[in-house]
Amino acid sequence: MTVRPSSRTLVGREPELERLREALKHARAGESVTVLVGGEAGVGKTRLVGELLGQARAEGAHVLSGQCLELGEEGPPFAPFAAALRDLLRAAGPAAFAGHEQEFARLLPELGPVGPEPVVDAQRGSLFELVAGLLARLAGERPLVFVVEDLHWADRSTRDLIAFLVRSARIARTLLVCTYRSDELHRGHPLRPFLAELDRVRDVERLELGRLDRDGTAAILAQLYGAEQSPRAVDSIHDRAQGNPFFTEELAACGDPQQCVDIPDTLRDLLLTRVDSLPDTAQRVLRIAAAGGIRIGHELLAEVAELPHGELEAALRVAVTAQLLVAEPNGGYEFRHALVREAVHDDLLPGEYARLHARYAATIEARPHLVPAGDAPAELAHHWYAANDLPRALTATLRAAVAAGERYAYAEKSRLLKRVLKLWEQVPDAAERLGMSHLSVLEETLTATVTAGDYMHALTLVRVALDEVDHDAEPLRAALLLHQRAGLQRQLGKNDGSADWREAYLLASRAPEERRQIMLRADLASQFAWFDRPEGARIAAEVAAAAERQQDMRVKVAAILATGRICRREESVEAGLAPLREAAKLARSIGDAAQFVKAMVNLSDSLFEIGDYAGSERAAADGAAEAEQFGISRSSGAFLFSNRAEALVALGRWDEADALCAQTARIDPPGALGLHWLLIRARLRLVRGDAGAGDLAARALRFSTRAYLEPQLRLPSHHLGIEAALAAGDLAEAVRVARAGLAEPALADQPRYAWPLLAEAARVAVAGAGLSPDDVASVAETIDIRYAAERAFAADMRATLDTGSRAADGRRTPGEAVPAARAAVTAWRADGQPYPLARALVVLAGAAAGAGDRALAEEALDEAGELAARLDARPLLEEIATLARRAGVRARGAPAPAGPQLLTEREREVLRLVTEGYSNGRIAERLYISPKTASVHVSRIIAKLEVANRMEAAATARRLGLL
């Protein structure tokens, strides 16, 4: 994997950069402005200021910059000013110093000899005035930006000169920017009082640069790797670098962000430099603290350190002063940066490492109140494992896993239970110590891993568990495992799961009727509905009867959900709404979060299908909140986020939808659960013309290469594939995908997804690239129309085919295509989705223009432009603008045409002959003009119509009725 050494553009600093731009604006207006930019090392101060300097240079400002030397007070005086003046000398020559070369030689020896007298106060004041005069002359020519970097290393003379420029000289049209490391400013640092003094001066502004958030880290990694990284990779780097751009780049340089376990040597050396400079006792206390974690309470540290209180506090004061630890209000301490703690911890000797962790474990076991409430189980599991005390680690880890599950922290529970399985092999009496079998631990781990969304590892676990379980002795246990394996294989695209589900039903039927057995059969009924609907209906009836006998509320909810799924498939979506609402209400009343979420997934999906987009959005939001609360967002709750985003898109709330997709991306739903939101976001990016939309679409379409993909995802994938190909101008690929979509056997059974695909395929068919309109129309005859959106997509398809076909074969009669286009607009008004309505209005405008009805064309384009502008659908806006220019009308959101007619009368005569197939030579003969003049007319026509060649010009002329 190739990684760039550093990110190329500034990330996540737009507010700070805007403040610097505003300061530059004030300087241009004649003010004297100073900005003090602070932040820890590596946070991006130099990158931020560099962005400002690039803009200043581009706008013609003078730019000077200099850096303070790390020698600090012992270094040469005025170092940053000398560096800046040296650059000025190279750029402008000695003339820039206006005859004061000898005086400036005190700062810049290259200018010649210096007089023998020392710089006493009078001469120093004169020098300050000379520097101010020079900067004033430069600012008089054009605005001046002067940057002093690393002010924390500045000598006293440099600070004095800066203070003079800021407080006394106040040079007009000048922006002075000084950067400093805030993590270097210990209590006695001379810059602290200096900054406090400057803060009291008018037109001095402090700008503190904080660490980047997770999105900022993701953006840097995308630049470094040349592509978006997985949410887990982003989380891994962000948790360690904590938003520090330099640390992020250093960790990314390892290659694969998820495989970078060790800190790179160069970064490790940098992190440990300040630790190595501390007294021995302070270093020892830091090592002890590092074994305790990034945060540690004072009492716990004191117990483990076993140092006299005075000695411990003195060492801690040194570490705090050195900005390595931060004292917290609650009396504890936190490492200023996680990577510093990691570097110190990794530097422990093996014996020291085990001894310290054992000491922490023993102390917490004896006095659990020394750690935050509820943290003791996890702390003990961690420290006993790190101390290599495996028997204690085994039992402590299981207790920690149970505690994590009680907090709905299923990913943590899964991780801990996997460790229990690992330790099981190393502790001979593990079963006796834990009081449970290996298979039971496997099942617990499997459930937690599935809930956490780690499907690949879950599939491995379920295979091992199935090998251990006795199918004859424990049929229900085996059936539950088969049910889980079927779902995992389906979600991971390996197969449709039907074989495992059939076997699971047979096994479950042999088990006694009780809660788990009935609820499993209810789940199986829902799954059978996808591949064997009659059998699913029969099993659902069995479950309903069993629920009546059991009088168990959880069983009743499961039975209602199964019945609702079958009603939806067997009868209608509306028939399934009442059972779904009843199931959701009952599940919430008994606190069954899993079944409530399942009900809301189906309810939000059903409401969307019948066109109640607002109701769908509300239901999905309600369910998503519950899923987040109970820690099941990555598994069963994942569809709620994408269902809500889908509804928001339909409602025209695109920004909210995109933000929700970004939130879902961070959750990173596994397998096919991660495709729905990706399809939505990729299509949103395409219709907005966003950069990177093609890459996002390609990522979504890679799911189609799997052995199995359920129809409700496979058909929208074809739809997206056509849109992506058309957006890229690849008609051959669009035809290929459209043909594959039209050949899908699931089309007739999935009208909701079939009609959008057919409408998109119609666009390909009328492009004349090898797909026949009849191919699309013949498939459409086999698809039912039930709801408003399906009716609108069908009308859309007919309007596209009608308009395009007539234009292509010359059968157009003025106005003949308008009724079909009007019907599509009417259908979309009834459905309520703004974007498809805007597209239908564009088709209507084209048909109206072809019929010579410019008033209707303008009215349709005007409304379409308003809708497209509100949605920020830039490609559609461009299409509207192009059609408006061709038709010679004005459209809201599109630039007005140059005049009342796009083409001159002569150009219309030439175009008429072009449509009849005349060459330039024959056009010249017919119109009594030269061939060169004919060629010029043809070129202008092609440019005005914004087409690629004569053939497209002729087709556009026929379609728009320009002749």
Side-chain angles (χ1 to χ4, degrees):
M1 182 180 292
T2 302
V3 185
R4 299 186 182 92
S6 63
S7 57
R8 296 168 297 176
T9 58
L10 192 67
V11 168
R13 300 300 189 197
E14 190 56 40
E16 293 87 351
L17 183 58
E18 186 56 38
R19 287 175 65 181
L20 288 177
R21 287 171 177 156
E22 189 66 21
L24 178 58
K25 179 180 175 182
H26 283 288
R28 286 185 172 282
E31 297 179 30
S32 174
V33 186
T34 301
V35 181
L36 306 172
V37 181
E40 67 183 15
V43 82
K45 301 181 295 295
T46 299
R47 184 74 56 83
L48 174 68
V49 172
E51 196 79 12
L52 172 73
L53 295 185
Q55 178 180 326
R57 288 190 183 98
E59 294 175 356
H62 276 301
V63 171
L64 295 177
S65 64
Q67 188 171 16
C68 300
L69 302 181
E70 194 171 353
L71 298 172
E73 299 289 354
E74 298 178 5
F78 306 115
F81 289 92
L85 296 179
R86 189 169 288 115
D87 288 343
L88 179 63
L89 176 62
R90 292 194 194 100
F97 298 92
H100 295 284
E101 291 86 347
Q102 192 171 25
E103 292 91 334
F104 277 109
R106 298 186 187 283
L107 298 178
L108 206 58
E110 297 98 308
L111 288 173
V114 182
E117 71 278 6
V119 179
V120 294
D121 287 346
Q123 282 84 2
R124 194 172 82 143
S126 175
L127 179 65
F128 285 11
E129 291 287 357
L130 280 171
V131 172
L134 171 60
L135 299 183
R137 284 197 302 275
L138 294 174
E141 297 170 4
R142 55 184 192 266
L144 170 66
V145 180
F146 195 144
V147 175
V148 178
E149 292 218 63
D150 296 323
L151 195 59
H152 52 280
W153 288 330
D155 60 282
R156 170 66 183 274
S157 297
T158 295
R159 294 196 300 273
D160 288 346
L161 178 49
I162 290 173
F164 173 79
L165 294 174
V166 173
R167 288 186 300 198
S168 302
R170 301 189 56 79
I171 304 164
R173 298 220 302 171
T174 301
L175 170 60
L176 174 63
V177 180
C178 300
T179 70
Y180 62 93
R181 291 184 186 172
S182 53
D183 54 338
E184 295 275 358
L185 304 187
H186 53 78
R187 183 165 296 175
H189 198 290
L191 193 61
R192 278 180 174 270
F194 177 74
L195 294 175
E197 288 178 20
L198 292 187
D199 279 340
R200 293 195 291 269
V201 179
R202 184 169 58 87
D203 293 329
V204 172
E205 179 180 358
R206 282 263 203 135
L207 180 58
E208 286 294 327
L209 213 56
R211 297 172 183 175
L212 295 175
D213 59 13
R214 183 191 177 282
D215 290 343
T217 298
I220 288 179
L221 292 176
Q223 288 183 12
L224 294 174
Y225 288 101
E228 285 188 21
Q229 296 301 292
S230 71
R232 289 192 180 187
V234 175
D235 288 339
S236 173
I237 294 289
H238 186 68
D239 288 346
R240 297 173 74 191
Q242 292 187 310
N244 183 294
F246 173 72
F247 293 166
T248 299
E249 291 173 0
E250 288 293 307
L251 291 174
C254 295
D256 186 337
Q258 288 186 272
Q259 301 302 318
C260 182
V261 177
D262 298 324
I263 301 175
D265 290 341
T266 54
L267 180 56
R268 183 187 305 280
D269 292 343
L270 178 66
L271 292 168
L272 291 177
T273 298
R274 292 166 68 186
V275 177
D276 293 342
S277 67
L278 299 182
D280 289 345
T281 305
Q283 289 190 46
R284 179 187 170 196
V285 169
L286 271 180
R287 290 196 298 272
I288 296 170
I294 191 169
R295 291 183 183 86
I296 186 168
H298 181 85
E299 288 186 64
L300 177 59
L301 181 60
E303 286 283 331
V304 175
E306 296 182 309
L307 288 171
H309 289 303
E311 190 175 342
L312 175 63
E313 289 175 0
L316 286 168
R317 183 174 297 279
V318 170
V320 170
T321 301
Q323 302 277 322
L324 292 167
L325 292 180
V326 177
E328 296 186 316
N330 62 5
Y333 301 92
E334 178 183 0
F335 278 86
R336 180 171 288 278
H337 204 288
L339 280 179
V340 173
R341 179 259 161 193
E342 185 178 336
V344 173
H345 187 246
D346 290 350
D347 207 40
L348 293 173
L349 295 173
E352 184 183 24
Y353 182 97
R355 187 170 59 255
L356 282 174
H357 281 288
R359 178 68 178 155
Y360 270 109
T363 302
I364 295 170
E365 205 162 56
R367 302 178 65 187
H369 66 277
L370 293 180
V371 296
D375 286 2
E379 292 278 356
L380 288 169
H382 165 69
H383 288 300
W384 283 130
Y385 186 72
N388 204 35
D389 189 330
L390 303 187
R392 283 192 174 100
L394 177 72
T395 54
T397 303
L398 181 62
R399 285 195 296 269
V402 172
E406 290 170 351
R407 293 181 173 186
Y408 309 117
Y410 294 108
E412 181 67 9
K413 181 178 181 180
S414 170
R415 182 185 66 80
L416 290 165
L417 287 173
K418 288 171 192 173
R419 182 183 291 174
V420 170
L421 290 172
K422 180 181 177 181
L423 290 168
W424 187 286
E425 307 300 326
Q426 303 172 65
V427 179
D429 57 346
E432 290 76 18
R433 284 179 177 273
L434 299 182
M436 60 193 304
S437 68
H438 187 262
L439 180 57
S440 295
V441 176
L442 269 173
E443 289 171 323
E444 284 288 323
T445 310
L446 173 62
T447 301
T449 304
V450 169
T451 308
D454 186 359
Y455 284 5
M456 288 300 295
H457 199 95
L459 194 57
T460 301
L461 289 168
V462 77
R463 284 170 181 161
V464 175
L466 279 167
D467 287 341
E468 287 195 22
V469 71
D470 186 330
H471 288 56
D472 295 325
E474 298 182 284
L476 181 59
R477 200 172 195 177
L480 286 164
L481 289 169
L482 282 168
H483 173 50
Q484 286 182 301
R485 185 172 75 175
L488 290 168
Q489 289 180 329
R490 182 185 179 95
Q491 288 297 335
L492 291 171
K494 297 184 178 297
N495 58 58
D496 68 356
S498 59
D500 275 350
W501 274 318
R502 289 186 189 279
E503 186 181 352
Y505 176 72
L506 294 176
L507 285 168
S509 299
R510 289 165 40 195
E513 186 179 279
E514 44 96 1
R515 174 190 281 183
R516 287 194 310 158
Q517 191 257 13
I518 300 171
M519 293 185 72
L520 172 59
R521 283 192 292 156
D523 281 345
L524 291 172
S526 297
Q527 299 304 331
F528 269 72
W530 288 109
F531 58 86
D532 189 343
R533 202 176 298 167
E535 182 67 359
R538 187 188 67 77
I539 298 171
E542 283 182 2
V543 170
E548 286 294 323
R549 291 191 293 272
Q550 289 287 321
Q551 292 297 303
D552 183 317
M553 289 296 288
R554 291 183 187 274
V555 171
K556 183 178 180 180
V557 171
I560 294 171
L561 282 172
T563 302
R565 172 68 68 89
I566 295 297
C567 284
R568 179 179 177 180
R569 305 288 293 168
E570 286 282 297
E571 301 174 33
S572 68
V573 177
E574 292 96 333
L577 288 177
L580 287 173
R581 287 192 170 105
E582 183 185 3
K585 183 178 179 180
L586 286 174
R588 175 167 266 175
S589 70
I590 61 175
D592 190 337
Q595 294 207 92
F596 175 75
V597 166
K598 187 183 295 185
M600 298 310 282
V601 168
N602 288 293
L603 180 60
S604 61
D605 191 55
S606 298
L607 290 170
F608 185 95
E609 188 163 2
I610 65 173
D612 184 358
Y613 305 124
S616 173
E617 191 272 331
R618 286 192 299 271
D622 192 12
E626 196 87 358
E628 287 185 285
Q629 181 181 349
F630 289 95
I632 52 179
S633 296
R634 276 197 89 228
S635 51
S636 55
F639 270 124
L640 288 165
F641 290 96
S642 51
N643 282 1
R644 187 181 177 205
E646 187 177 34
L648 288 169
V649 169
L651 292 166
R653 292 157 60 182
W654 285 11
D655 290 339
E656 292 177 66
D658 192 58
L660 190 59
C661 285
Q663 181 183 346
T664 311
R666 287 192 288 273
I667 295 170
D668 191 23
L673 289 176
L675 178 55
H676 190 210
W677 76 265
L678 198 54
L679 289 168
I680 294 166
R681 196 178 204 191
R683 184 161 184 266
L684 198 54
R685 294 279 178 89
L686 280 172
V687 298
R688 279 188 154 175
D690 289 341
D695 292 339
L696 198 62
R699 180 178 156 198
L701 294 173
R702 281 197 288 272
F703 279 81
S704 302
T705 62
R706 300 186 180 190
Y708 175 80
L709 189 63
E710 53 198 53
Q712 65 265 38
L713 294 173
R714 194 168 65 247
L715 298 183
S717 294
H718 288 309
H719 182 186
L720 175 66
I722 296 172
E723 281 196 297
L726 290 175
D730 190 345
L731 280 177
E733 174 64 9
V735 169
R736 187 196 68 77
V737 178
R739 287 190 184 284
L742 293 176
E744 280 285 352
L747 281 174
D749 197 41
Q750 300 285 340
R752 171 179 172 180
Y753 304 105
W755 282 113
L757 175 58
L758 290 171
E760 204 63 31
R763 294 178 64 200
V764 181
V766 300
L771 181 68
S772 167
D774 291 339
D775 293 337
V776 180
S778 61
V779 173
E781 292 175 0
T782 67
I783 313 297
D784 290 336
I785 298 176
R786 307 162 304 163
Y787 304 112
E790 295 164 11
R791 194 170 298 110
F793 275 117
D796 228 356
M797 179 206 72
R798 285 191 289 268
T800 301
L801 291 178
D802 189 55
T803 305
S805 299
R806 294 178 185 279
D809 61 16
R811 291 188 289 111
R812 173 182 297 281
T813 300
E816 202 168 337
V818 171
R822 278 190 187 276
V825 169
T826 301
W828 281 118
R829 289 197 196 284
D831 177 71
Q833 296 189 55
Y835 181 73
L837 172 60
R839 277 182 43 170
L841 285 163
V842 173
V843 174
L844 174 60
D853 190 343
R854 292 183 61 214
L856 177 58
E858 182 167 346
E859 180 185 346
L861 287 178
D862 190 57
E863 184 180 356
E866 185 177 2
L867 289 169
R870 178 161 57 84
L871 296 170
D872 193 26
R874 293 182 293 279
L876 184 58
L877 277 171
E878 291 172 8
E879 186 180 343
I880 291 167
T882 299
L883 181 54
R885 287 194 296 273
R886 288 173 176 172
V889 299
R890 183 186 301 272
R892 192 175 306 175
Q901 297 292 331
L902 179 65
L903 303 179
T904 66
E905 190 57 40
R906 174 61 87 180
E907 286 167 347
R908 288 175 181 276
E909 291 175 356
V910 172
L911 180 57
R912 188 174 290 107
L913 297 177
V914 167
T915 60
E916 294 174 11
Y918 278 51
S919 66
N920 287 350
R922 290 184 63 198
I923 292 172
E925 291 176 6
R926 182 71 176 268
L927 298 180
Y928 304 101
I929 57 178
S930 70
K932 183 176 180 180
T933 301
S935 175
V936 169
H937 281 309
V938 171
S939 296
R940 286 177 177 168
I941 291 167
I942 289 172
K944 286 184 176 183
L945 294 182
E946 299 180 48
V947 294
N949 51 48
R950 302 165 71 98
M951 292 180 61
E952 287 189 21
T956 299
R958 284 194 292 265
R959 180 165 61 84
L960 297 181
L962 296 179
L963 304 179

